[in-house]
Every structure is written in structure tokens, then in C-alpha cells.
Amino acid sequence: MPPRSDDPRRDATGSRRGSSRGSEPREAGLGGISDARAYTPRGRTVREGGGAEQRPTPRSNRSGDPFRPALQVLDGGRAGRAGTREPATDGARSGRRSTAAGGRAGVVRTVSSRPVREPFDDDEDAPSPRRRSQPRRPAAQPRRPVRKPRRPPRLGDPRRRLRLGTVLALALFASIGVRLVYLQTVDTPAYADGGLPNRLAVVELPAPRGAILDRSGEPLAHSVEARYVFADPTRVKDRFATARLLSPLLGVPVSDLAEKMRKRTLPGTDTPLQFVYLARGVEIATAKQIMELDLAGINVHRDERREVPGGDLAANLIGFVSQDMNGLEGLEAKYDDVLRGQAGKRTYEVGLGDLAAPIPGGYSRTTQPQPGSSLKLTVDRDLQFMTQRILAKQTAKVKGSVGAAVIIEIPSGEVLAQASQPTYDAANPTKVTSPSDRDDAATTFVVDPGSIHKAITFGAALQEGVITPDTAFPVPNTIDRGGVTFRDTHPVDGRTMSIPGMLAFSSNVGTIEIGEKLGKERLFDYQKRFGLGQVTGEGMPGEAAGRLLPPDQWSGSAYGSVPIGHSVDATPLQMAAAYATIANNGTYVQPHLVKETIGVDGERSPAAAPTTRSVLSPANAAALRQMMEAVTTVDGPDGRATGLAAAVPGYRVAGKTGTGLRYDGGKQQPGEVGSFIGMAPAENPRYVVAVFVWSPGGGGGAVAAPAFREMMGFTLRHYRVPPSLTNKSPKFEVFPR
């Protein structure tokens, strides 16, 4: 192929192809941009001649041809279809030129029929343009078809992706929302309380123990606010120096305090002990002095102390409590569930470090304390004091003695005083010679009552019609039953003796004979009806029941011992209740100590009504009382009654002396028990007083009657009982003719 010339091609006339200057006339509608663009990008013209195909442009595959838009305009704005040519509808859109008159062919300009390549068409699919050296094929010869461009790849629908993303996002947020709702409703307590233990403070709200009051509301024992002193041994720097500073304030030896502050571990563990009590119930003023010392490892906290204003007043009744305010003995133990309060507490969130203060709006829960109820007794504080004082004075006359005294009101059966000797200070219960010093002798002092039991035998005989107030029969000096000889302390040498005389001189023989006429079954029945052989239920813990000898266990000697009060075990309280039955016109009333319970709100709950039962008829009870007056009045040529020392000036007194034995643990103790139980005024008894005194060396009987006289005299004056008309006292005939 010959090299292409760089000179522009010329037509037959010698003019340059595409020149805007020519001699032939132009058609209307041509020229202008047509003449200006007569050249191809390489300086070549469109092939001349009517109906000839367009010559391929060598670089028609270039997408950046700057003249393509202009050529499209010349062809009416449309690109020709591949292999075809659309006919021109007018001169302006015609793809060919008509021949001039002189036979010269006009220049025909047209747009290539090749499709416009898009930027995304692959260059490798289109053939490389090349220059043709041979002449173009004639018009009649069909043109090779141009390959149809590939369809661009189908893109994804963005709206579909958007919908899918929205659904996923909504599902994610919905699951998060459900989880949040679950945490806020179902798992709230667990998560809310997760860190509470580390920021909670607990303050105990103490509940004071109820008071024990006397019948007029005066406190016998009550609780007061105090402090306890404790130590953290791990923080105490010098325990001996600390002990020396605390000892004078606490009243505890230095050695004891130092030992308590010694560093040690909890039993069975390696954990160091961080809390130990140094003292309980410390007064508030003393606790303030301790805090002012600012001792390392020493601190105080709120406490409660049981205070007994009367010291030993009714101590054997009241009992005492532990350092933790739990009842241990006496009424404190018996009614511990009533007296003991239930402590409350306050739990709240606090800040850390120095800001250990409640967090406003933080967790806070308060359990209100419930103070204990108070116990109101039937005991008269003043009468109890005098009874204890008289008993202590009289028992002091007998070395090593034990005494008990009971005062019962008629007809209520209320115990106005119940004293024991020895006694103790309830505020310091450990300061006693023996633990038995804390016992309530009236309910735990088991004795062989002796002659005071004769009132039960005579009362049963009256009620059963075995005897009458006028009964009299000869009484020998001795009587033999079961191989045992029973004697009278006042022998009458077989003289006829009246029933009042038998009581006045405490005839054993006469009483045994009456008991035989009564019979063992009936005597045993009346013993139980008078309250022997069973606890009274007064309210004291540890009350002894005593013991009766059933009829089927009687031996031959029992016919002689039981009627006169031997082979019988009873307590002073039981015998006092039996005499109260005689004073109360024959009706037994259960003795009781508790009058009512007073709640925190002041509501009063009366104690349960005492048990009552009829034992004697009022007439027989009155007849027995009158005959018992002989014990304190008979004093004549025939002898002196055993109870003259118990007479109360100005008042008629009915009662009986007794001499018995004491049993402890089922064993008889040495010595004897002297006793006197009486009632006054005898014509209409208001009170019953029972006094028992035991001494290992004897002599109790010598102090029992005088103690009764003082106690009964004070009781009658204390309650302003009018004196009796002593001129109305009966005149007893001991030995009727």
C-alpha cells in the first residue's frame, strides 16, 4: 500500500476537498456548518456520488470524537441504522445531493451508519479500524452487518435494598426494645439490687422491753436507754494502756479488759475477731466520757438496761434478764414473750468515703420496732416492801433460816405480797451466796405442812357431817397406828375435849380419830379440792406441785400421819390458798399474780379469770373460822393456845400454827419448819397471811407467829380495815363438863 500523502486531497478541478469556496452553485439549505465540516477528523471527505455508502472512518470507535454531534445534526439528528439508509424527506434531511446541470456531482455528507459506542462498550469486541487500499465496493454490493452492542448488565433495584435494610433495622430495634422492657419489668429487682450490699447501711431500731408494774402502776422493773462499749481488737494499738483508761469508767479489772482486747481469730477460722463486748448497759454519761478519750478500736452503741428501782423489792418474783434482754428467771422468764419487744431496722443507701450519708431518693426501707407490752401485777409495792422487811427481821433471829410469806386478798384471790428470804438485788443477780437465794420460796419451798393441815381435816369432817361445832370426845395422850405412836404436845390425859380445844392445843390424837371417821378416800378428795397435790397456776415459773398419798398406797401409819399433815408435801402458796378457801366462805379461788397486760397503745387486757370451785358450804366455812379463833384467843387455867403470839390487837384473827419438815430433792432436811396461817377480821375475812420459816437447828415456830402478827397488822392498817368488835369474840370451852 502506497503511503498516504499528507497533502489534502484535491478534486478534479484541483480544489481542496471540503473547501468553502467553489464555482458551482449550491443548493438551498447547504453550506455554513456543512462547508466548515467537509473534512473528517483525518482530513478526509465524505465519499462523493449519489447512493454511495459512507466510507468508514478509520477511528470511528473512539468515544471522544468531537465532530460526531455536528454530523448528526446534518443528518437530521438521527443516526442511520446498521446496513441501511433512511430516505430523505426533504432537501434539508436528504442523505444525497442531486447532480448539477453540468453533470457534476455534488458533495454528499452524511452520518456514519455505525452505532455510537457507549463508554461501557468493550474495545475488544469492536474491530480495529484500518485503512483500505482497494477501492470501495460498489453500492449494489451489500454491506457487512455491524455487530449489535452488548446489553449493559442489569443493576440491582435500590428500592428493594432499601426496604430490606429497613426491615432488618426495625427488627434489630424491636428486639432491643423488647429486651429493655424485660429488664425494666421482670429483671428490675435483680439488677437494681445487684450492687446494693456495697452501699447499704443498716441501723437497728431497738424496741424497749415492757415494764413490770405493781397494782397501782408503779414500776417494779423497767428498761432505760443505755450504751454498750465494744472493741475491735484488730484496731486497738495498746490494749493494756487502753484497759487502764477504761477500767475506772467501766468498773472492770484491767486484766479482764486487756484479755478481751487480745487479738485472736474466730473459732475454726482464720478470720480475725473484730468485735467484742467490753461492757453492757453503760450509762449514757459514762459512754460520753469514753468517747471523749478517742481510743483507737473502742466505740459505743445504743443499748438497753433493765432497771429495778426497788433493788431487792420482789426480786424473787420478778427475776432478771440477760444482757440481750431475754428473761432468765421469775416473771421475766415466764412472760418473756409478752415483755420482749421486736427490734426494727432501717436500711438505706449511703455515699462512700466521708459522705457516708443517706442518698436522697435512694433505696430506703424501715421496719418499725414493736416495743414489748407491760405486765401489771396484783402485788402492792408498799405491802411487798413491808412484808420483805418483816420476814427478813424475823428470820434473822434464826440462824441459816429460809422464810416465805404470802398475802392473799379475799375474795379476789389476788396475791398482794409474796416474799422470800434470803433475797437478792435483781440488778445484780450474780451477787448471791447460792443460786437458791434467787428462788421464790412460796412456790418452790416444799414442806411437810404439819399441823396447819388439820384445818383441812376438820373442814372436810364438818362438810361431811362427821363432826359439828359442838362435838367433843375423850382424847388420850397417845394413839398407835401401824406400829407408830403419835403423841400430843399438850397431853389432856383422856379428858373430853371440844373441837375448838383440839385446834387451840393442836391435838394430834383428836385429829387422827376424826380422820379415821372421815375415811381416807374422802380425806384424799378434800385435799385435792383444797388445791393440794397440783400447781396453783399463780404465774410463777417452776412452781412445785407437791405430793399427796393416794388412798391405795396408805400404810397402817398413814392413818395417823396424813390427817395431821405428815406424808403430805405442799408449798406455802398451796396452803395459803387452802386457808383462803375457808376465809372465802368455802369457795376456792385460784391465787394469781398477774392483773392485766398493757399494750404499747395503752390497751389493757385483763388476765384470765381465776379458777374457782366450791369446797365447803358457807355455814361450815364460817363455823370452822370461828373454831379457829380459839388458836389465838384461848388463854386460861386449862392452858395457852399455840397461836397467841399471832393475835393482832383490835382484830379477831382465825388461824393455825404448824410444825413440819422440809424436803429438798425428795430428801428430808434437818431441822423443822414453823408456820402460821391466819385470816382477819375473822368475822368477815379480808386477807390471808401465811408465814413459813425453816431452820436447820429448829426454832422456826417461835418466829412465824410474830411475823404473821406484824404482817397482818400492817396489811389491815394499810388498807384501813375497821377494827373488829372484840367483845363479840366467842368464848371457847376447851374441856366441856
Side-chain angles (χ1 to χ4, degrees):
M1 178 183 299
R4 187 177 58 181
S5 174
D6 296 332
D7 295 334
R9 297 180 181 180
R10 299 180 184 274
D11 57 15
T13 60
S15 62
R16 293 182 179 178
R17 192 178 301 175
S19 173
S20 61
R21 296 182 299 271
S23 59
E24 62 275 12
R26 301 180 180 179
E27 293 183 7
L30 298 176
I33 190 65
S34 177
D35 290 338
R37 296 287 181 253
Y39 292 99
T40 63
R42 290 290 186 180
R44 291 167 297 190
T45 62
V46 180
R47 187 179 182 82
E48 298 179 1
E53 286 187 351
Q54 180 182 354
R55 181 181 178 182
T57 304
R59 299 184 180 181
S60 61
N61 61 337
R62 296 182 180 179
S63 59
D65 191 347
F67 297 105
R68 180 174 295 172
L71 296 177
Q72 292 175 347
V73 170
L74 294 179
D75 196 32
R78 295 189 304 269
R81 299 180 184 274
T84 61
R85 189 183 303 273
E86 293 182 0
T89 58
D90 52 26
R93 297 182 179 182
S94 175
R96 62 184 60 178
R97 304 290 185 185
S98 59
T99 306
R104 182 181 175 180
V107 179
V108 180
R109 299 175 178 87
T110 183
V111 179
S112 172
S113 62
R114 295 173 59 86
V116 179
R117 290 181 59 84
E118 294 297 333
F120 46 78
D121 290 341
D122 297 331
D123 292 343
E124 61 184 7
D125 294 336
S128 302
R130 58 183 177 180
R131 194 181 303 278
R132 298 180 179 179
S133 58
Q134 66 273 15
R136 295 183 177 272
R137 289 176 292 183
Q141 186 178 1
R143 182 184 177 189
R144 186 181 62 173
V146 179
R147 180 180 296 179
K148 186 177 180 179
R150 295 179 62 184
R151 293 183 63 183
R154 185 176 181 180
L155 300 178
D157 189 351
R159 291 175 297 177
R160 185 177 180 183
R161 290 195 299 269
L162 181 60
R163 288 194 296 269
L164 180 60
T166 302
V167 171
L168 293 177
L170 291 177
L172 177 63
F173 284 113
S175 62
I176 294 175
V178 171
R179 180 60 177 166
L180 289 176
V181 172
Y182 182 83
L183 293 177
Q184 291 291 332
T185 56
V186 179
D187 287 348
T188 297
Y191 285 95
D193 297 342
L196 280 179
N198 297 328
R199 60 179 186 273
L200 288 182
V202 179
V203 176
E204 182 176 331
L205 305 177
R209 186 178 179 87
I212 298 179
L213 312 172
D214 80 333
R215 65 187 299 111
S216 60
E218 294 296 326
L220 298 174
H222 64 105
S223 295
V224 296
E225 184 178 352
R227 298 290 185 269
Y228 65 79
V229 182
F230 67 95
D232 182 353
T234 62
R235 297 178 56 198
V236 175
K237 296 180 179 179
D238 187 341
R239 59 191 179 103
F240 290 99
T242 303
R244 284 191 291 270
L245 292 174
L246 293 177
S247 179
L249 297 174
L250 300 179
V252 180
V254 174
S255 58
D256 292 347
L257 292 175
E259 176 60 24
K260 290 181 178 180
M261 291 184 284
R262 179 175 56 85
K263 294 182 180 179
R264 53 189 180 276
T265 59
L266 294 174
T269 66
D270 295 333
T271 305
L273 181 65
Q274 294 181 309
F275 180 91
V276 60
Y277 283 113
L278 298 182
R280 299 292 301 272
V282 178
E283 294 184 358
I284 297 177
T286 303
K288 289 181 179 180
Q289 296 180 20
I290 293 174
M291 292 305 297
E292 291 174 355
L293 296 176
D294 195 19
L295 301 174
I298 305 299
N299 210 333
V300 301
H301 201 273
R302 193 183 190 281
D303 197 9
E304 182 179 355
R305 185 179 75 249
R306 198 66 167 169
E307 191 170 271
V308 184
D312 63 352
L313 183 65
N316 301 75
L317 287 179
I318 296 170
F320 59 94
V321 298
S322 66
Q323 291 183 340
D324 296 325
M325 293 293 121
N326 295 319
L328 297 181
E329 287 188 9
L331 296 176
E332 294 276 20
K334 176 72 173 182
Y335 297 95
D336 184 62
D337 56 339
V338 176
L339 296 169
R340 185 178 63 246
Q342 295 182 2
K345 66 178 180 179
R346 181 189 175 202
T347 306
Y348 57 92
E349 288 185 82
V350 296
L352 298 177
D354 296 336
L355 299 177
I359 298 176
Y363 176 87
S364 179
R365 178 176 296 175
T366 301
T367 302
Q368 296 297 335
Q370 298 180 2
S373 300
S374 296
L375 208 63
K376 189 173 184 179
L377 305 183
T378 61
V379 173
D380 186 318
R381 190 169 183 264
D382 295 334
L383 184 58
Q384 177 73 26
F385 173 79
M386 287 303 299
T387 302
Q388 287 186 209
R389 181 177 179 183
I390 295 169
L391 184 63
K393 181 183 68 173
Q394 293 295 337
T395 55
K397 299 176 181 179
V398 183
K399 185 177 181 181
S401 60
V402 174
V406 179
I407 301 178
I408 298 178
E409 182 186 54
I410 306 300
S412 66
E414 294 181 352
V415 177
L416 301 179
Q418 187 164 306
S420 300
Q421 184 62 37
T423 185
Y424 70 102
D425 186 353
N428 297 288
T430 59
K431 294 182 178 180
V432 292
T433 305
S434 171
S436 61
D437 293 349
R438 299 194 297 259
D439 293 341
D440 173 51
T443 56
T444 62
F445 192 50
V446 179
V447 301
D448 191 340
S451 294
I452 57 175
H453 182 274
K454 293 174 181 176
I456 296 177
T457 303
F458 281 84
L462 279 172
Q463 186 68 21
E464 294 297 321
V466 174
I467 62 173
T468 67
D470 298 327
T471 298
F473 54 86
V475 178
N477 293 335
T478 62
I479 191 171
D480 192 63
R481 291 293 180 268
V484 178
T485 302
F486 298 90
R487 294 179 172 85
D488 280 343
T489 56
H490 293 78
V492 295
D493 299 328
R495 297 169 62 184
T496 300
M497 182 178 282
S498 65
I499 299 300
M502 295 179 190
L503 288 169
F505 296 132
S506 190
S507 174
N508 292 330
V509 176
T511 306
I512 292 173
E513 290 184 352
I514 292 175
E516 285 184 338
K517 294 178 182 179
L518 180 64
K520 59 181 180 180
E521 286 80 7
R522 287 190 293 183
L523 179 58
F524 178 76
D525 179 58
Y526 274 90
Q527 285 176 324
K528 293 192 298 182
R529 293 172 67 178
F530 272 103
L532 303 186
Q534 56 192 331
V535 296
T536 64
E538 176 199 35
M540 287 297 296
E543 180 183 1
R547 183 178 61 89
L548 294 177
L549 188 63
D552 57 357
Q553 297 180 14
W554 279 33
S555 63
S557 62
Y559 288 90
S561 62
V562 174
I564 62 175
H566 296 289
S567 301
V568 178
D569 294 339
T571 64
L573 179 63
Q574 288 175 326
M575 295 307 301
Y579 274 67
T581 302
I582 300 171
N584 193 33
N585 292 323
T587 300
Y588 175 88
V589 178
Q590 177 190 17
H592 50 282
L593 275 170
V594 179
K595 193 176 186 68
E596 61 184 4
T597 301
I598 304 175
V600 180
D601 55 356
E603 183 179 356
R604 298 174 181 269
S605 302
T611 302
T612 62
R613 58 179 173 268
S614 178
V615 181
L616 303 175
S617 67
N620 288 327
L624 182 58
R625 289 197 304 268
Q626 189 177 47
M627 291 188 294
M628 291 173 64
E629 286 188 67
V631 177
T632 60
T633 59
V634 172
D635 185 13
D638 295 328
R640 293 172 57 88
T642 58
L644 291 178
V648 178
Y651 296 91
R652 294 169 59 181
V653 177
K656 185 68 183 75
T657 58
T659 302
L661 303 173
R662 180 189 178 188
Y663 291 89
D664 188 6
K667 296 181 180 180
Q668 181 179 332
Q669 302 299 308
E672 61 183 20
V673 177
S675 59
F676 188 93
I677 305 177
M679 60 202 72
E683 68 277 14
N684 182 24
R686 294 282 304 275
Y687 309 100
V688 168
V689 176
V691 180
F692 288 72
V693 178
W694 169 78
S695 173
V703 299
F708 168 87
R709 183 182 63 243
E710 290 190 56
M711 294 176 189
M712 180 60 83
F714 179 84
T715 303
L716 294 171
R717 293 190 299 270
H718 178 66
Y719 291 109
R720 301 180 180 181
V721 178
S724 301
L725 297 176
T726 54
N727 58 350
K728 298 290 185 180
S729 299
K731 302 299 181 180
F732 298 103
E733 189 175 3
V734 178
F735 301 107
R737 301 288 180 221

